Amino acid sequence: MDGITSNLPDTALVTAELAWIEVGRVSDIPPAGARVVQSPHGDIAIFRTAEDEVFAIRNRCPHLGGPLSEGIVHGARVTCPLHNWVIDLASGGATGPDTGCTGTFPVQVEDGSIRLGLRLPVSAV
Amino acid sequence: MGKRKLVVIGNGMAGARAVEEVLARGGADMFDITMFGDERYGNYNRILLSNVLNGSQDPAEIVMNPLDWYAENGITLHSGAPVTDIDRAAKTVRSSAGVHVHYDYLLIATGSRAFIPPVEGMTGPDGKLRNGVFAFRTLDDCDGIIAHAKKSTQAAVIGGGLLGLEAARGLINHGCAVHVIHIGNHLMEQQLDGPAGAMLRASMEAMGVTVHLKKATTAVTHDGEKITGLAFKDGTTLDCDMVVVSAGIRPNAEIGLRAGLTVERAIVVDDKMRSVDDSTVYVVGECAQHRGRVYGLVAPLWDQAKVFAENITGRNRDAAYHGSKLATKLKVMGVEVAAMGITEPVEERDEVVQFTEPKRGTYKKLIVRDGRLVGGILMGDISKAAYLMQAFDRDTPLPEERLSLLFDIGAPAEKVTLDEMPDEAQVCNCNGVTKGAIGACVAGGMKSALAVMKATRGGMGCGSCKGLINELVEFYAGGEVEEDPSIHYYVPGVPLPTDELIDAIKINGLKSVSSVFKVLAGGKEDPGSKPGLAVLLSMIWKSEYEDERDAKFINDRMHGNIQKDGTFSVIPEMPGGVCTPDELKRIADVAVKYNVPLVKLTGGQRIDLVGVPRDDLPGVWRDLGMPAGHAWGKSYRTCKSCIGTDYCRFGLGDSMALATKIENRFRGIDSPGKLKLATAGCPRNCSEAYVKDIGAVAIGDGKWEIYIGGAAGAHIRKGDLLCVVGSHDEALSVMGRFIQYYRETAKWKERTYAYVERVGMAKLKSIVVDDSDGIGARLDRSLQESIDAYVDPWLERDAPATSHQFSSLIPVP
């Protein structure tokens, strides 16, 4: 759970119920691009690949915190714009010689609408 | 007490320098200064006369103190009329023009004159040099030589010393055949020994000067009007129609004799530079004899002038001159020479350290006595001259290892071999990669530097350690090292060098990055290659290019440089580092309105608003109302400039105007690597034009030197001189052609410093300057099309290229 910016105790997040929150439409995100959702877990980058797959990972590179949402997307991977680490969108793990992992979040796409799975305490919903 | 009267006889380098030193010590309040000079000019740098002769400098450029200087400093100058008498009893001097003045202190700085050997026919019946015979000592001599050389076919220089050789060099530039006649066994006997003299002779003859050694001239032959030739003691003769005599100098000490001062070879002085006979008469320069020696170089003169000034102004009455050790550094006919002290060993204990490489014209010889340097000659390679001259001058003990006197064998840190380097030694400081990690990688089967770099990330930061990584891979892999073929490609992901890739893209009509991968890379997309392809495609297709924003690096999508916190820097255009007060105000207003956390001057003479969030970019750009400065991508970046001619008192060319024209023309032109330019108004290079991708340096007469391939980043390199142009327009044209050729032939991210070395200056000159391939007009046209297609990217503030370009957040309902 490194580096999560949250003003809530971790236990509250872990124990909370998984809630599915609608965050917009696939067409709101450019192909092979990303946009960001602000959440109590910190900023979450919602990626759309060239094949219209959708992934959600924390918008923080495990290297030095670079904004992954601004990186170049290729296949199901993104290259961090700061120092070119390559992050796998499905696992959040760094590829190649680098080691590190950023948090991932479950997503559902239905009729072009994206829902993000978050464990949110009742007060935040 | 009123001012004392200081009279200076001689307005050459010595007299003027001595007066400058007096003025620098508040002398203007102590003395009324009167100067007498033979020549009708203010004083000039005699050392540079050879440049006037060879045409590289105008007489005006070598003037040290123009006539205004005398007036500004309250100095009365009587020029064009020499002093004929000194009355030491009455303390007055009188000039040939009848000027008669009183002095409290007298400074004699009459220098020396050319020695004219007593040779038959050298002078005419009036005792003056015959028409066609010249000394080489004054600006008037220079004028005469140049005028005569233009109609001369064959010139002879009598004297193979330093000045004679400079005269020969100058004459060559005026198109006549040149012969140097030297009485000694080798050239420049004062400074060089036999072998060095012989090498110098070879270089001179290679440049077209014929050298005759051991020739004593006995007569100048003539037909009563014109010179016809020279006759020598050995019975031979030489046809020539002009003669320059450079057979040494003689101190102008006659004035001292007439005034009853002690004169041996020159006027004899004590350690305070006073005549030994009269404590109110000082003597400096080539007419002074100190401790038995008469000096003919400037360095001793500077020291003497200081001692004189310290004493006469009372600043330090103990100041004393102890003599100078002679060391000179000079360039003769393009050959660099440094010489100091004796040229041959004289005592048995003298130790000679020597290196010769005649093929390259390198010669080094040092004479060491009791562990100290007493003489030295360096020719061809004078890189050690500064160190050796200092050791010679200060008499410092020399290192035991004499080899290090001749060569830079490197500091201890650099002597560590790859073998000795410990495994934990860090090779790549950006990404923390050790020597051991590289070794493990090679042992694991990676036999190319690129593969090792990819696997370890070594060399992928600033890139300055790439060379060392290459060496280490070679070291570990032994003979098995494989060259990664992709190092020859424009981008690693498409297997074609730049020019072939451009052809393939055109033939196949590929207008988008994805189509290039599909057709030319077997459908395999390489993310690292995308930004490079995007730039290349936009260069080829201009407005027809199918922009795929996802192929672009974030900087190229947001038109700003991303910072570590995900914000951007906003740098508006500021050509030549110049902006209006109104623009400055708007920048300040924007910084306040948008809470910009940092406002900073960049290295490229612009103002950087750092820390602007993506969503604020359009507003910031709109409120600034200034065009983008392109401080983010692989493209033309900026052109720095010094103040140029409008205000700078040294400026030779209008560098600000040129920088503005450059920016207006090349703004936003994308290229394989960044292009950082500068213009310098003079060779003082305040704007650092010598170390830019392209630099223009003004050299006077409206001329600009164009340098390419300079760098002062992680890699440091002085640019190479591409050519000299005669106007701003020519500068723009040659720069543009180079830029376009670079765009079409360089590899992605290959900066000009690497490109220039890979392609070679000879080829670049022939293509860009001489148009040897006949592609000049096509290059110019292609660049013009890119210029015409340019649109300020910050206009996307009103017409975003993609939806949500500047809105990063999805608002959660």
Short mmCIF file of all heavy atoms in Angstrom, two decimals, chain B residues 725-762:
data_model
loop_
_atom_site.label_atom_id
_atom_site.label_comp_id
_atom_site.label_asym_id
_atom_site.label_seq_id
_atom_site.Cartn_x
_atom_site.Cartn_y
_atom_site.Cartn_z
N VAL B 725 30.05 33.97 -43.67
CA VAL B 725 29.08 34.59 -44.58
C VAL B 725 29.15 36.11 -44.44
O VAL B 725 29.70 36.62 -43.46
CB VAL B 725 27.65 34.10 -44.30
CG1 VAL B 725 27.54 32.61 -44.54
CG2 VAL B 725 27.23 34.46 -42.88
N GLY B 726 28.60 36.80 -45.42
CA GLY B 726 28.76 38.25 -45.47
C GLY B 726 27.53 39.06 -45.09
O GLY B 726 27.57 40.27 -45.14
N SER B 727 26.44 38.37 -44.70
CA SER B 727 25.23 39.13 -44.35
C SER B 727 24.30 38.26 -43.52
O SER B 727 24.46 37.04 -43.45
CB SER B 727 24.51 39.57 -45.62
OG SER B 727 23.99 38.43 -46.28
N HIS B 728 23.30 38.93 -42.91
CA HIS B 728 22.29 38.19 -42.15
C HIS B 728 21.55 37.20 -43.06
O HIS B 728 21.30 36.06 -42.68
CB HIS B 728 21.28 39.17 -41.54
CG HIS B 728 21.83 39.92 -40.36
ND1 HIS B 728 21.08 40.76 -39.60
CD2 HIS B 728 23.06 39.93 -39.80
CE1 HIS B 728 21.80 41.27 -38.63
NE2 HIS B 728 23.02 40.78 -38.73
N ASP B 729 21.21 37.67 -44.26
CA ASP B 729 20.45 36.80 -45.16
C ASP B 729 21.23 35.55 -45.52
O ASP B 729 20.69 34.44 -45.54
CB ASP B 729 20.07 37.56 -46.44
CG ASP B 729 18.95 38.56 -46.17
OD1 ASP B 729 18.32 38.43 -45.09
OD2 ASP B 729 18.72 39.44 -47.01
N GLU B 730 22.51 35.75 -45.78
CA GLU B 730 23.34 34.58 -46.10
C GLU B 730 23.42 33.63 -44.90
O GLU B 730 23.41 32.41 -45.06
CB GLU B 730 24.76 35.05 -46.42
CG GLU B 730 25.14 35.00 -47.87
CD GLU B 730 26.60 35.40 -48.04
OE1 GLU B 730 27.46 34.52 -47.95
OE2 GLU B 730 26.85 36.61 -48.21
N ALA B 731 23.51 34.22 -43.69
CA ALA B 731 23.57 33.39 -42.49
C ALA B 731 22.30 32.55 -42.38
O ALA B 731 22.35 31.34 -42.14
CB ALA B 731 23.75 34.27 -41.25
N LEU B 732 21.14 33.19 -42.59
CA LEU B 732 19.87 32.47 -42.50
C LEU B 732 19.83 31.35 -43.54
O LEU B 732 19.37 30.25 -43.28
CB LEU B 732 18.71 33.43 -42.74
CG LEU B 732 18.45 34.44 -41.62
CD1 LEU B 732 17.40 35.45 -42.06
CD2 LEU B 732 18.00 33.74 -40.36
N SER B 733 20.34 31.66 -44.71
CA SER B 733 20.24 30.68 -45.79
C SER B 733 21.12 29.46 -45.50
O SER B 733 20.68 28.32 -45.65
CB SER B 733 20.60 31.40 -47.09
OG SER B 733 21.26 30.55 -47.96
N VAL B 734 22.34 29.67 -45.05
CA VAL B 734 23.23 28.53 -44.82
C VAL B 734 22.76 27.74 -43.59
O VAL B 734 22.81 26.50 -43.56
CB VAL B 734 24.70 28.99 -44.72
CG1 VAL B 734 24.97 29.71 -43.43
CG2 VAL B 734 25.65 27.82 -44.87
N MET B 735 22.25 28.45 -42.58
CA MET B 735 21.72 27.75 -41.41
C MET B 735 20.52 26.88 -41.81
O MET B 735 20.40 25.74 -41.39
CB MET B 735 21.25 28.77 -40.35
CG MET B 735 22.36 29.45 -39.61
SD MET B 735 21.66 30.68 -38.48
CE MET B 735 23.15 31.26 -37.69
N GLY B 736 19.65 27.46 -42.61
CA GLY B 736 18.45 26.73 -43.03
C GLY B 736 18.80 25.48 -43.80
O GLY B 736 18.23 24.41 -43.58
N ARG B 737 19.77 25.60 -44.68
CA ARG B 737 20.15 24.43 -45.48
C ARG B 737 20.75 23.35 -44.59
O ARG B 737 20.47 22.16 -44.75
CB ARG B 737 21.13 24.84 -46.56
CG ARG B 737 21.27 23.79 -47.63
CD ARG B 737 22.13 24.25 -48.76
NE ARG B 737 21.47 25.19 -49.64
CZ ARG B 737 22.04 25.67 -50.74
NH1 ARG B 737 23.26 25.30 -51.07
NH2 ARG B 737 21.39 26.53 -51.50
N PHE B 738 21.56 23.77 -43.61
CA PHE B 738 22.11 22.77 -42.69
C PHE B 738 21.00 22.11 -41.88
O PHE B 738 20.96 20.89 -41.73
CB PHE B 738 23.14 23.41 -41.75
CG PHE B 738 23.53 22.51 -40.61
CD1 PHE B 738 24.29 21.36 -40.85
CD2 PHE B 738 23.11 22.76 -39.31
CE1 PHE B 738 24.63 20.50 -39.81
CE2 PHE B 738 23.45 21.90 -38.27
CZ PHE B 738 24.21 20.78 -38.53
N ILE B 739 20.06 22.92 -41.40
CA ILE B 739 18.97 22.37 -40.58
C ILE B 739 18.19 21.32 -41.39
O ILE B 739 17.91 20.23 -40.90
CB ILE B 739 18.01 23.50 -40.12
CG1 ILE B 739 18.71 24.36 -39.05
CG2 ILE B 739 16.71 22.91 -39.56
CD1 ILE B 739 17.90 25.57 -38.61
N GLN B 740 17.90 21.64 -42.65
CA GLN B 740 17.10 20.71 -43.44
C GLN B 740 17.89 19.42 -43.72
O GLN B 740 17.36 18.32 -43.63
CB GLN B 740 16.65 21.36 -44.76
CG GLN B 740 15.72 20.47 -45.60
CD GLN B 740 14.40 20.17 -44.90
OE1 GLN B 740 13.98 20.88 -43.98
NE2 GLN B 740 13.75 19.09 -45.31
N TYR B 741 19.18 19.56 -44.01
CA TYR B 741 19.99 18.35 -44.26
C TYR B 741 20.06 17.49 -43.00
O TYR B 741 19.97 16.27 -43.05
CB TYR B 741 21.38 18.74 -44.75
CG TYR B 741 22.17 17.56 -45.29
CD1 TYR B 741 21.74 16.86 -46.41
CD2 TYR B 741 23.34 17.13 -44.66
CE1 TYR B 741 22.44 15.77 -46.90
CE2 TYR B 741 24.06 16.04 -45.14
CZ TYR B 741 23.60 15.37 -46.26
OH TYR B 741 24.29 14.29 -46.74
N TYR B 742 20.20 18.17 -41.87
CA TYR B 742 20.21 17.47 -40.58
C TYR B 742 18.87 16.76 -40.36
O TYR B 742 18.83 15.59 -39.97
CB TYR B 742 20.49 18.50 -39.48
CG TYR B 742 20.29 18.06 -38.05
CD1 TYR B 742 21.13 17.12 -37.47
CD2 TYR B 742 19.29 18.63 -37.26
CE1 TYR B 742 20.96 16.75 -36.14
CE2 TYR B 742 19.11 18.28 -35.94
CZ TYR B 742 19.95 17.32 -35.39
OH TYR B 742 19.78 16.97 -34.07
N ARG B 743 17.77 17.44 -40.67
CA ARG B 743 16.45 16.84 -40.48
C ARG B 743 16.30 15.58 -41.33
O ARG B 743 15.65 14.63 -40.93
CB ARG B 743 15.35 17.82 -40.91
CG ARG B 743 15.22 19.04 -40.05
CD ARG B 743 14.23 20.01 -40.67
NE ARG B 743 12.87 19.78 -40.20
CZ ARG B 743 11.79 20.22 -40.82
NH1 ARG B 743 11.90 20.89 -41.95
NH2 ARG B 743 10.58 19.98 -40.34
N GLU B 744 16.93 15.59 -42.50
CA GLU B 744 16.73 14.47 -43.42
C GLU B 744 17.74 13.34 -43.25
O GLU B 744 17.57 12.27 -43.84
CB GLU B 744 16.77 14.98 -44.88
CG GLU B 744 15.63 15.93 -45.19
CD GLU B 744 15.61 16.36 -46.64
OE1 GLU B 744 16.39 15.79 -47.46
OE2 GLU B 744 14.84 17.27 -46.97
N THR B 745 18.80 13.56 -42.50
CA THR B 745 19.83 12.53 -42.43
C THR B 745 20.24 12.13 -41.02
O THR B 745 20.94 11.14 -40.84
CB THR B 745 21.10 12.97 -43.19
OG1 THR B 745 21.51 14.24 -42.69
CG2 THR B 745 20.86 13.07 -44.69
N ALA B 746 19.82 12.88 -40.01
CA ALA B 746 20.21 12.52 -38.65
C ALA B 746 19.29 11.45 -38.10
O ALA B 746 18.17 11.26 -38.57
CB ALA B 746 20.17 13.75 -37.75
N LYS B 747 19.80 10.73 -37.08
CA LYS B 747 18.96 9.75 -36.40
C LYS B 747 18.16 10.46 -35.31
O LYS B 747 18.57 11.51 -34.82
CB LYS B 747 19.84 8.66 -35.77
CG LYS B 747 20.60 7.86 -36.80
CD LYS B 747 21.47 6.79 -36.17
CE LYS B 747 22.76 7.39 -35.64
NZ LYS B 747 23.70 6.36 -35.16
N TRP B 748 17.04 9.89 -34.96
CA TRP B 748 16.20 10.47 -33.90
C TRP B 748 17.02 10.64 -32.63
O TRP B 748 17.73 9.72 -32.22
CB TRP B 748 15.00 9.56 -33.66
CG TRP B 748 14.09 9.96 -32.54
CD1 TRP B 748 13.81 9.24 -31.42
CD2 TRP B 748 13.33 11.16 -32.44
NE1 TRP B 748 12.91 9.91 -30.64
CE2 TRP B 748 12.60 11.11 -31.23
CE3 TRP B 748 13.19 12.30 -33.26
CZ2 TRP B 748 11.76 12.13 -30.82
CZ3 TRP B 748 12.35 13.32 -32.83
CH2 TRP B 748 11.64 13.23 -31.63
N LYS B 749 16.94 11.78 -32.04
CA LYS B 749 17.66 12.15 -30.81
C LYS B 749 19.17 12.25 -31.00
O LYS B 749 19.91 12.26 -30.02
CB LYS B 749 17.35 11.17 -29.67
CG LYS B 749 15.96 11.33 -29.11
CD LYS B 749 15.84 10.52 -27.83
CE LYS B 749 14.41 10.54 -27.31
NZ LYS B 749 14.26 9.66 -26.16
N GLU B 750 19.63 12.28 -32.23
CA GLU B 750 21.06 12.46 -32.47
C GLU B 750 21.34 13.96 -32.54
O GLU B 750 21.01 14.61 -33.53
CB GLU B 750 21.47 11.78 -33.78
CG GLU B 750 22.95 11.87 -34.08
CD GLU B 750 23.32 11.21 -35.40
OE1 GLU B 750 22.52 11.27 -36.36
OE2 GLU B 750 24.41 10.64 -35.48
N ARG B 751 21.89 14.51 -31.48
CA ARG B 751 22.17 15.94 -31.46
C ARG B 751 23.27 16.28 -32.45
O ARG B 751 24.05 15.42 -32.84
CB ARG B 751 22.59 16.40 -30.05
CG ARG B 751 21.45 16.42 -29.04
CD ARG B 751 20.45 17.53 -29.33
NE ARG B 751 21.01 18.86 -29.13
CZ ARG B 751 20.99 19.53 -27.98
NH1 ARG B 751 20.43 19.01 -26.91
NH2 ARG B 751 21.49 20.75 -27.91
N THR B 752 23.37 17.55 -32.79
CA THR B 752 24.32 17.93 -33.83
C THR B 752 25.77 17.59 -33.46
O THR B 752 26.58 17.32 -34.33
CB THR B 752 24.24 19.44 -34.15
OG1 THR B 752 24.53 20.17 -32.97
CG2 THR B 752 22.86 19.81 -34.67
N TYR B 753 26.09 17.61 -32.15
CA TYR B 753 27.49 17.32 -31.80
C TYR B 753 27.91 15.91 -32.21
O TYR B 753 29.04 15.68 -32.61
CB TYR B 753 27.76 17.56 -30.31
CG TYR B 753 27.03 16.64 -29.35
CD1 TYR B 753 27.49 15.35 -29.10
CD2 TYR B 753 25.90 17.07 -28.67
CE1 TYR B 753 26.83 14.52 -28.22
CE2 TYR B 753 25.22 16.25 -27.80
CZ TYR B 753 25.70 14.97 -27.57
OH TYR B 753 25.04 14.15 -26.71
N ALA B 754 26.95 14.96 -32.13
CA ALA B 754 27.26 13.58 -32.54
C ALA B 754 27.13 13.46 -34.07
O ALA B 754 27.93 12.80 -34.73
CB ALA B 754 26.31 12.61 -31.85
N TYR B 755 26.12 14.13 -34.61
CA TYR B 755 25.84 14.07 -36.04
C TYR B 755 27.01 14.63 -36.86
O TYR B 755 27.46 14.01 -37.82
CB TYR B 755 24.56 14.88 -36.30
CG TYR B 755 24.23 15.11 -37.74
CD1 TYR B 755 23.63 14.12 -38.51
CD2 TYR B 755 24.49 16.34 -38.35
CE1 TYR B 755 23.31 14.34 -39.83
CE2 TYR B 755 24.17 16.58 -39.67
CZ TYR B 755 23.59 15.57 -40.40
OH TYR B 755 23.28 15.79 -41.72
N VAL B 756 27.52 15.77 -36.43
CA VAL B 756 28.62 16.41 -37.15
C VAL B 756 29.84 15.49 -37.17
O VAL B 756 30.53 15.36 -38.18
CB VAL B 756 28.95 17.77 -36.49
CG1 VAL B 756 30.33 18.25 -36.89
CG2 VAL B 756 27.91 18.81 -36.88
N GLU B 757 30.08 14.80 -36.06
CA GLU B 757 31.23 13.90 -36.03
C GLU B 757 31.00 12.65 -36.87
O GLU B 757 31.91 12.13 -37.48
CB GLU B 757 31.57 13.53 -34.58
CG GLU B 757 32.14 14.73 -33.83
CD GLU B 757 32.70 14.39 -32.46
OE1 GLU B 757 32.58 13.24 -32.02
OE2 GLU B 757 33.25 15.32 -31.83
N ARG B 758 29.75 12.19 -36.89
CA ARG B 758 29.47 10.98 -37.66
C ARG B 758 29.55 11.28 -39.16
O ARG B 758 30.19 10.54 -39.92
CB ARG B 758 28.07 10.45 -37.31
CG ARG B 758 27.63 9.27 -38.16
CD ARG B 758 26.36 8.62 -37.64
NE ARG B 758 25.18 9.45 -37.76
CZ ARG B 758 24.43 9.55 -38.87
NH1 ARG B 758 24.76 8.87 -39.95
NH2 ARG B 758 23.37 10.33 -38.89
N VAL B 759 28.91 12.36 -39.57
CA VAL B 759 28.87 12.66 -41.00
C VAL B 759 30.19 13.27 -41.47
O VAL B 759 30.66 12.98 -42.57
CB VAL B 759 27.70 13.62 -41.30
CG1 VAL B 759 27.67 13.98 -42.77
CG2 VAL B 759 26.39 12.97 -40.88
N GLY B 760 30.81 14.09 -40.63
CA GLY B 760 32.09 14.71 -40.99
C GLY B 760 31.90 16.10 -41.57
O GLY B 760 30.99 16.33 -42.37
N MET B 761 32.77 17.00 -41.14
CA MET B 761 32.64 18.38 -41.59
C MET B 761 32.90 18.52 -43.08
O MET B 761 32.30 19.37 -43.75
CB MET B 761 33.60 19.29 -40.81
CG MET B 761 33.11 19.70 -39.45
SD MET B 761 31.47 20.46 -39.50
CE MET B 761 31.83 22.04 -40.28
N ALA B 762 33.79 17.70 -43.62
CA ALA B 762 34.12 17.84 -45.04
C ALA B 762 32.86 17.63 -45.87
O ALA B 762 32.54 18.42 -46.76
CB ALA B 762 35.19 16.84 -45.42
#
